[in-house]
Amino acid sequence: MRGVVLVLAGLFATFSPLDCNQQGSIPEGDLLVLTVATQETDGFRRFLRSAKHFNYSIKVLGGGETWTGGDYMSPPGGGQKVHLLKSALEDIQEENRVILFVDSYDVIFSSGPKELLKKFQQAKHRVVFSAETLIWPDRHLEDKHPHVREGKRFLGAGGFIGYASNLKKMLSDWSGADSDSDQLYFTKIYINPEKRKSINITVDSKCRLFQNLHGALDEVVLKFEDGRVRARNVLYDTLPVIIHGNGPTKLQINYLGNYIPNLWTFETGCTICNENLRPLSGLQESEYPMVVIGIFIQQPTPFVTVFFERLLNLKYPKKRIQLFIYNQESHHEPHVRTFLEDHESEYQGVKLIGPEEDIDPVTSRNIGFDMCRDNIDCEYFFSIDVDVVLKNEDALRILIELNKPFIAPMMTKPGRLWTNFWGALSADGYYARSEDYVDIVQGHRVGLWNVPYVSHIFLIKADALRTDLKDPDLFESSTLDPDMAFCSRVRNKGVFMFVTNMHTYGRVLSTENYQTNHLHNDLWQIFENPVEWEERYIHENYSKVLKEAFIETPCPDVYWFPVFTDVACKHLIEEMEHFGQWSGGGNVDNRIQGGYENVPTIDIHMNQVGFEKEWHKFLLDYVAPVTEQMYPGYYTRAQFDLAFVVRYKPDEQPALRPHHDASTFTINIALNQVGIDYEGGGCRFIRYDCSIRAPRRGWALMHPGRLTHYHEGLPTVQGVRYIMVSFVDP
């Protein structure tokens, strides 16, 4: 029996002071989470949501107080947290109550109390601090930290767990100022062997309970498994319960917080997208939130007229909208003026700043914000750059209903991975691609995403503009562009910038190579903005030509199909008349090779207005597919020597004598409307005695040019007739 007693005595000698409580697990009801939050920021709301997800009991300290404890950008600081914690512990009488003390603005829970308490017990100490890779704020104390067998050895003050009695003892000597360093205070206790032993403190060296991100970004990845997502430390192969974006790792905690805890999984998709919504359905128009829409025109931009058309089509009561329009470009003054002349009275109010006022873009943004800040009824500011193609008419309603202080719709550029948001930032504050960026852009991950940068279009709550974002220098920086400076200020104020890809909203135009030396410059955008060009200028039924054989055959081997919109026809006519250098209709023509035209017309060639490359692109994209479908076995490269707009007038050139065309096939597009713009006209194919006397505006006649389709232009007896002719593959 004596030998057994010695063994038992030896075992008891190795137990830590915690071992007496390890006969059973700690009840979850014994755990209380304490945190400090003097303001309800987006980060604080994220913290509470994660705590609620796992049913943690939370007590918030310092609510409504003024924060005087410094910030992570200018350590030391944090003393205010210590004195608030010390006061709170005085009210806790249960000596074995387990207290978890963590920051809140940059902390999320990755698992629940049961796992946390189990890992706390396994640490076999009465107080466990988070561990750091880096030592601060005093590097001279490095050698005094006790060594650990594996893992991190430096204490982190942003999170610790312990019994209330031990924490009280640890804080008993605190008498520092709010601006003093909590990190330094706890470090000095930890590196003091006597105090460390007396209080029974250790650090979570392998990140089983706490994961501090500063100095450890390469260690942490997202782990998706069994419908759940959490952070994994790949260096130690651990699953930390609490994730802390300490120091300069706010972007990284924001990234992880898009997923943890279970905000988005592959199985469920977005789980928070329908939380805390602000539904607008059922409201009377007068009950809709008042919105100031800020429109910013800072450079020559294509399709500005279309931009204003889409603005008009937004499904939102115009009497609940005020417009702020900043136009820096004199080229766009007619577009703005026409819009306001026709529609200003439909809106509650309009403020216009034109190029003559010489106000810089940064100042204009502040003026726009002030228009909302100063109007007590304004609830939102909706900022839109004029190069935004807002296709979704419900966009404003959708964004308001999502009920975020700052939210942007994801906008794209066709055929590219470009969007109006960045998923990450490089070390110098510029673009970097996040791991999930491509999946978000391509729609494989759909939801709400807290990102570090957005541009071109966003909705911001007026309350945010009047409080966190009230400073007049939001766009100013000595090193960053205004949009980057603005996003940096928003982030530093603790306002989350969300982007949503739950709907398709539209795209952003390319403004590169946009020239303003024509009347209708948008006609030249077929290369830079082909999608917008097609929507503006290609007939709505053109797609049916190829898919549904939406094509007519009015004469043998003559095909008739829709190709141009009314706007395209109008713009081509106006562009030619604006150019004005119509040929005389004589045989001598120095514009063509040889200088002689056998069958002359009064016309303007495409190369005279610099449109030949664009016209070739049009033929390749929209005519060649029809040609190859209707003339099987023939493949065209859409080459042309002549492409021109012809003008027929009774007193100028009413008709055209019979002739063959110098082409393999010819395209003839009617640009205006018989019976409205002119009388008479048409085309007669003599061999077949077949006439087309009522050409439809925007429809193309396609027919062979040589040998079989000898034809003539029938007389125009009244008005002016315009056609677009192209001799293809001469």
Side-chain angles (χ1 to χ4, degrees), residues 304-305 308 327 329-342 355 519:
V304 169
T305 299
F308 283 114
N327 176 28
E329 290 294 329
S330 57
H331 168 71
H332 290 307
E333 283 192 285
H335 304 128
V336 176
R337 183 169 59 251
T338 299
F339 168 73
L340 292 180
E341 287 174 353
D342 294 340
L519 178 66

Side-chain angles (χ1 to χ4, degrees), residues 17 60 69 77 220 222 254 302 338 345 425 504 513 576 599 610 691 711 725:
V60 180
V220 181
L222 288 170
N254 288 348
T338 299
S345 62
L425 296 182
T504 299
N513 305 316
M576 296 304 171
V599 186
S691 298
H711 59 285
V725 179

Side-chain angles (χ1 to χ4, degrees), residues 213-281:
L213 295 180
H214 189 29
L217 294 178
D218 293 338
E219 301 173 14
V220 181
V221 298
L222 288 170
K223 176 182 173 64
F224 294 91
E225 189 175 64
D226 299 329
R228 185 177 177 187
V229 57
R230 59 187 302 178
R232 175 173 173 247
N233 186 300
V234 295
L235 182 61
Y236 306 117
D237 194 23
T238 54
L239 298 173
V241 177
I242 296 154
I243 317 299
H244 183 197
N246 58 321
T249 62
K250 308 309 175 195
L251 301 186
Q252 288 74 22
I253 191 68
N254 288 348
Y255 171 78
L256 296 174
N258 284 328
Y259 298 93
I260 302 170
N262 290 19
L263 273 67
W264 190 96
T265 69
F266 288 102
E267 291 81 4
T268 64
C270 180
T271 63
I272 62 164
C273 290
N274 294 317
E275 291 184 2
N276 302 316
L277 300 180
R278 180 181 183 174
L280 298 179
S281 58

Side-chain angles (χ1 to χ4, degrees), residues 309-574:
E309 290 173 3
R310 292 200 170 99
L311 181 68
L312 280 170
N313 290 333
L314 279 180
K315 293 180 179 178
Y316 201 88
K318 292 182 174 58
K319 288 302 181 182
R320 302 300 294 165
I321 294 175
Q322 293 185 347
L323 297 180
F324 172 80
I325 303 175
Y326 170 72
N327 176 28
Q328 196 178 25
E329 290 294 329
S330 57
H331 168 71
H332 290 307
E333 283 192 285
H335 304 128
V336 176
R337 183 169 59 251
T338 299
F339 168 73
L340 292 180
E341 287 174 353
D342 294 340
H343 303 289
E344 179 175 2
S345 62
E346 299 176 33
Y347 294 90
Q348 191 191 82
V350 175
K351 180 178 179 62
L352 171 65
I353 296 178
E356 72 283 352
E357 298 185 51
D358 195 29
I359 291 178
D360 66 90
V362 167
T363 301
S364 75
R365 303 262 175 184
N366 285 321
I367 294 173
F369 282 172
D370 284 341
M371 183 172 170
C372 179
R373 288 188 186 109
D374 298 341
N375 180 353
I376 193 173
D377 295 325
C378 178
E379 293 191 52
Y380 294 92
F381 186 87
F382 191 29
S383 179
I384 317 176
D385 293 352
V386 78
D387 56 356
V388 167
V389 180
L390 192 58
K391 294 278 292 177
N392 192 324
E393 296 177 354
D394 294 311
L396 181 54
R397 289 174 53 100
I398 292 170
L399 296 177
I400 289 175
E401 289 184 332
L402 288 173
N403 198 26
K404 300 295 183 185
F406 189 114
I407 190 164
M410 187 183 79
M411 313 297 286
T412 61
K413 287 188 177 180
R416 297 170 57 184
L417 285 174
W418 185 98
T419 65
N420 63 319
F421 80 92
W422 296 350
L425 296 182
S426 63
D428 55 359
Y430 287 85
Y431 171 82
R433 180 173 290 184
S434 61
E435 185 179 312
D436 57 1
Y437 178 82
V438 174
D439 277 355
I440 293 173
V441 175
Q442 294 180 340
H444 302 310
R445 302 187 189 190
V446 175
L448 288 166
W449 312 100
N450 182 1
V451 298
Y453 172 88
V454 298
S455 63
H456 291 84
I457 177 171
F458 58 84
L459 179 76
I460 188 167
K461 284 187 176 181
D463 286 346
L465 288 175
R466 296 183 185 116
T467 54
D468 296 324
L469 304 177
K470 64 179 181 297
D471 296 337
D473 60 349
L474 294 174
F475 295 90
E476 296 176 9
S477 170
S478 59
T479 57
L480 299 176
D481 293 337
D483 55 341
M484 296 172 63
F486 173 66
C487 292
S488 177
R489 295 290 173 83
V490 174
R491 294 194 308 268
N492 290 340
K493 291 293 185 179
V495 177
F496 289 173
M497 293 181 290
F498 287 97
V499 66
T500 172
N501 64 337
M502 292 189 292
H503 300 80
T504 299
Y505 293 98
R507 53 190 176 268
V508 174
L509 295 170
S510 171
T511 57
E512 300 171 6
N513 305 316
Y514 184 62
Q515 304 297 317
T516 60
N517 53 335
H518 303 286
L519 178 66
H520 293 295
N521 299 281
D522 297 345
L523 281 168
W524 276 258
Q525 288 293 300
I526 191 171
F527 289 104
E528 282 76 16
N529 293 289
V531 175
E532 190 71 3
W533 193 93
E534 178 176 308
E535 291 184 354
R536 187 64 164 165
Y537 292 128
I538 296 301
H539 198 286
E540 63 180 358
N541 290 327
Y542 172 79
S543 61
K544 296 180 181 179
V545 174
L546 301 177
K547 295 178 181 178
E548 304 173 22
F550 191 78
I551 194 166
E552 299 180 20
T553 310
C555 299
D557 282 328
V558 176
Y559 299 104
W560 203 13
F561 57 92
V563 65
F564 274 158
T565 62
D566 290 351
V567 172
C569 297
K570 178 176 182 289
H571 283 189
L572 279 168
I573 292 171
E574 292 176 351

Side-chain angles (χ1 to χ4, degrees), residues 48 127 142 154 635 651 705:
L48 286 185
V127 177
E142 177 177 353
F154 303 120
Y635 299 97
D651 58 350

